[in-house]
Amino acid sequence: MNRRRFCKTTLAASMAALYPFMAGCEKKGTVATQANTSIRGISLGGAEIELEKAAIRELGDAMTGPVMLSGHPDYDGARKIWNGMHDKHPALIARCQNTEDICHAVDFARERNLLLAVRGGGHSWPGKSTCDDGMMLDLADMKNVDIDAAGQSAWCQGGALLGHLDDATLARGLVTTAGVVSHTGVGGFTLGGGFGRLNRKYGLTIDNVLGAEIVTADGTVRQVSADNEPDLFWAIRGGGGNFGVVSKFQFQLHSFDRNVLSGMLVWPIEQAREVLEFYAEWSPTVSRELYVGPVMATMPDGTQIVAMEVVYNGDPTQGEKELAPLRAIGTMMVDDVKVQDYKVTQTKEDAMTAHGIRSYAKNGMVKEFTQDLVDDMIDAFIPDPRAAIFTHTAGGAVKDHGELDTAFPHRNAETMLVFFTGWTDPDQDAEGKAMCKQWHAALENHTGGYYDNIEWEGDASVVGNYGPNYARLSKIKGQYDAGNLFRMNSNIKPT
Ligand SMILES: Cc1cc2nc3c(=O)[nH]c(=O)nc-3n(C[C@H](O)[C@H](O)[C@H](O)COP(=O)(O)OP(=O)(O)OC[C@H]3O[C@@H](n4cnc5c(N)ncnc54)[C@H](O)[C@@H]3O)c2cc1C
């Protein structure tokens, strides 16, 4: 028996628990030591369970990456996720470094009926990537992106951030649709749909997924694509983390000149009617190259604005022509739309959405940007620097797919209205949440369905929001995760 295999045996694991620094089997940072022989865990159903230290050590020895308990020097950093509202303490954090590690962690959780949270980039608004007393399966070390330039595709590990994906592709003159903040995780972002500034030309991120490697609840590694386990492939394109842990995605890439016409056009809020009324008429006529969407916000100094975010994915001269009618509206405070590196645009919101912010979000899909919507947007405006409405413009290639083609069903929307509140003082939690709900409620009648990835309360209405796709999702869930091990998400119940 080789030394590594020996370390995996129960006998060796028990000995290692007794002698935590046993020469030869100890791996730096595997497990924090405590005097007692078990720690408290929580089951999938919420009951208290005991986790044997020896078994945890066995997991640590089997994995390449560390398993961290409270007291480990990296535990506190690892347990934190983006939204400062969630201060959870998992019983253990399994930081995976490869697919085999994921299998070991999934087996450990399933065999003990242990609550399991999977952390990709940690940006879940409702905090689904962490938990108290369960396992956090942490993919933060799995962030490689391998580019096949000739084949115009990329294999991207499940813990990579959008910035890793953009950096790797842009360096080769290639790109795929990625979201607007570079520290967001590729994992949760892609599994939910993936809206970004290039989606009108290239479709949602899920429309660019060619395949994936996924570890399902039984610990099996599966390669899924249109030809291989097509039902599972369909389900992970919009069904969130319900079906397993994606260790890597394969993305379609597109040739791309990173010098793009992009930036913001900003007007004082007093001109909101003129700007938005024009937008309502003009936006359905623009090309797929043009991504343009409104923002309404209050700056930290109290200045209230209506703005348009612009990215033109094509010849800048043509872009200038197409943008000219919008630029002619009213009197702008700022026009910084110019040819600049796409990476500048893709990172410009990183600082204002930095880790640790306390935040709440809701959204709604809008089929038509009507004059009635404009009226209500103006009436409902909340002049508070902690609140903003922005939009994820859709249409174009997003509509090339039908509502049944992928698990994400909301294909016929022209835009998504996003209601965002953010603050830092915990005493403002109730107010921050209420403000977001109030703004959303005022405009909800213009929306139909929502994008689960930017929604705190998604779990409550998951059945209706998937519309005709829910029954199929539930059946596939039953096939691959009948015990509902992967439940820390907007949960699809297995049938
Ligand atoms: C600042 C900010 C900006 C955003 N911008 C955009 C945007 O431009 N466009 C857009 O579409 N969305 C955007 N979102 C929403 C984003 O898509 C979701 O928050 C998404 O869940 C983030 O993924 P994550 O991996 O970082 O999150 P996590 O919190 O790690 O995970 C979210 C969910 O996905 C699961 N999960 C994560 N990785 C995996 C994996 N590899 N395998 C299986 N399950 C996994 C988790 O278990 C959890 O249920 C933004 C969010 C934030 C906070």
Side-chain angles (χ1 to χ4, degrees):
M1 183 186 285
N2 67 29
R3 203 179 65 153
R4 181 156 171 75
R5 288 266 308 280
F6 173 75
C7 289
K8 288 185 185 179
T9 65
T10 308
L11 174 64
S14 315
M15 289 173 68
L18 289 171
Y19 302 104
F21 300 108
M22 193 169 75
C25 287
E26 184 59 29
K27 180 172 50 187
K28 182 184 169 294
T30 296
V31 174
T33 56
Q34 292 169 3
N36 54 340
T37 55
S38 66
I39 59 168
R40 198 169 72 96
I42 194 156
S43 76
L44 289 171
E48 199 168 299
I49 52 178
E50 296 253 304
L51 299 170
E52 292 291 317
K53 281 276 189 67
I56 296 172
R57 181 163 292 279
E58 193 172 357
L59 173 66
D61 286 341
M63 283 179 53
T64 308
V67 175
M68 300 175 242
L69 306 186
S70 171
H72 185 286
D74 296 333
Y75 173 87
D76 267 328
R79 73 180 177 83
K80 290 198 179 110
I81 60 169
W82 171 79
N83 192 342
M85 301 267 272
H86 308 293
D87 184 24
K88 300 281 169 83
H89 292 79
L92 66 156
I93 300 174
R95 178 160 279 181
C96 301
Q97 287 185 0
N98 49 47
T99 306
E100 201 188 1
D101 279 2
I102 296 175
C103 296
H104 287 304
V106 166
D107 287 345
F108 182 93
R110 185 196 61 251
E111 285 163 6
R112 287 160 187 80
N113 203 30
L114 176 65
L115 184 64
L116 174 64
V118 178
R119 182 196 191 280
H123 277 47
S124 159
W125 251 285
K128 300 285 189 182
S129 40
T130 186
C131 57
D132 278 329
D133 300 327
M135 173 194 275
M136 175 195 269
L137 190 161
D138 180 6
L139 299 170
D141 282 351
M142 293 182 63
K143 48 184 189 283
N144 287 345
V145 184
D146 289 327
I147 306 289
D148 170 5
Q152 298 217 329
S153 72
W155 276 104
C156 176
Q157 284 189 304
L161 306 181
L162 297 180
H164 299 135
L165 181 61
D166 272 345
D167 284 345
T169 55
L170 291 172
R172 310 295 290 271
L174 297 164
V175 82
T176 198
T177 303
V180 304
V181 171
S182 79
H183 48 70
T184 310
V186 168
F189 166 84
T190 303
L191 292 167
F195 283 79
R197 296 172 171 118
L198 305 180
N199 59 213
R200 284 178 54 74
K201 191 151 176 191
Y202 303 136
L204 298 177
T205 306
I206 47 171
D207 303 332
N208 292 281
V209 175
L210 299 171
E213 179 181 89
I214 180 166
V215 178
T216 44
D218 60 357
T220 303
V221 182
R222 298 170 196 271
Q223 311 295 333
V224 300
S225 65
D227 300 325
N228 210 18
E229 308 208 50
D231 273 348
L232 187 54
F233 181 58
W234 174 85
I236 63 167
R237 287 175 295 152
N242 272 284
F243 301 93
V245 185
V246 175
S247 43
K248 51 186 178 177
F249 297 92
Q250 187 185 25
F251 292 116
Q252 175 74 63
L253 304 180
H254 310 269
S255 300
F256 185 70
D257 180 348
R258 61 191 294 165
N259 300 302
V260 286
L261 185 71
S262 62
M264 295 293 276
L265 306 175
V266 185
W267 295 261
I269 199 75
E270 292 72 22
Q271 295 180 37
R273 178 168 299 284
E274 201 178 345
V275 172
L276 294 176
E277 283 186 350
F278 173 78
Y279 180 80
E281 285 202 357
W282 171 75
S283 58
T285 69
V286 306
S287 71
R288 290 180 174 211
E289 279 70 25
L290 183 56
Y291 176 95
V292 56
V295 177
M296 296 174 87
T298 303
M299 301 289 97
D301 69 359
T303 310
Q304 297 161 24
I305 59 152
V306 59
M308 290 285 169
E309 158 140 63
V310 174
V311 175
Y312 188 81
N313 179 10
D315 173 8
T317 314
Q318 184 55 33
E320 295 276 6
K321 275 191 206 150
E322 204 171 332
L323 207 53
L326 178 62
R327 274 179 156 150
I329 299 298
T331 310
M332 277 186 264
M333 296 159 67
V334 177
D335 176 351
D336 78 347
V337 175
K338 55 182 183 259
V339 177
Q340 54 186 332
D341 190 344
Y342 177 65
K343 182 74 186 168
V344 172
T345 304
Q346 286 291 84
T347 51
K348 71 181 161 60
E349 285 165 25
D350 285 9
M352 69 179 112
T353 56
H355 282 259
I357 187 174
R358 307 176 83 82
S359 181
Y360 193 84
K362 294 192 78 63
N363 75 85
M365 307 303 299
V366 173
K367 288 201 182 90
E368 197 187 345
F369 206 98
T370 62
Q371 298 295 341
D372 280 352
L373 172 59
V374 172
D375 289 344
D376 287 348
M377 283 176 81
I378 290 165
D379 288 348
F381 180 71
I382 297 183
D384 189 304
R386 296 167 298 176
I389 286 193
F390 60 92
T391 43
H392 275 298
T393 308
V398 179
K399 282 188 172 174
D400 289 347
H401 300 262
E403 105 185 291
L404 306 178
D405 290 349
T406 59
F408 174 80
H410 304 293
R411 293 291 185 165
N412 56 7
E414 280 296 324
T415 194
M416 181 202 313
L417 288 180
V418 178
F419 306 84
F420 171 91
T421 48
W423 60 97
T424 53
D425 179 356
D427 289 343
Q428 297 177 6
D429 285 357
E431 194 189 350
K433 278 183 170 187
M435 205 160 34
C436 188
K437 287 181 179 176
Q438 177 196 328
W439 209 343
H440 170 258
L443 299 177
E444 193 178 8
N445 62 329
H446 297 282
T447 68
Y450 60 85
Y451 175 48
D452 186 68
N453 266 358
I454 307 184
E455 173 62 53
W456 186 299
E457 316 285 352
D459 227 2
S461 45
V462 63
V463 180
N465 194 49
Y466 277 111
N469 290 341
Y470 188 81
R472 185 174 175 195
L473 282 165
S474 172
K475 198 168 158 217
I476 299 168
K477 176 81 173 172
Q479 194 181 336
Y480 289 98
D481 185 16
N484 203 5
L485 179 65
F486 300 106
R487 62 179 63 193
M488 294 292 294
N489 38 55
S490 286
N491 196 227
I492 293 159
K493 300 286 182 293
T495 52

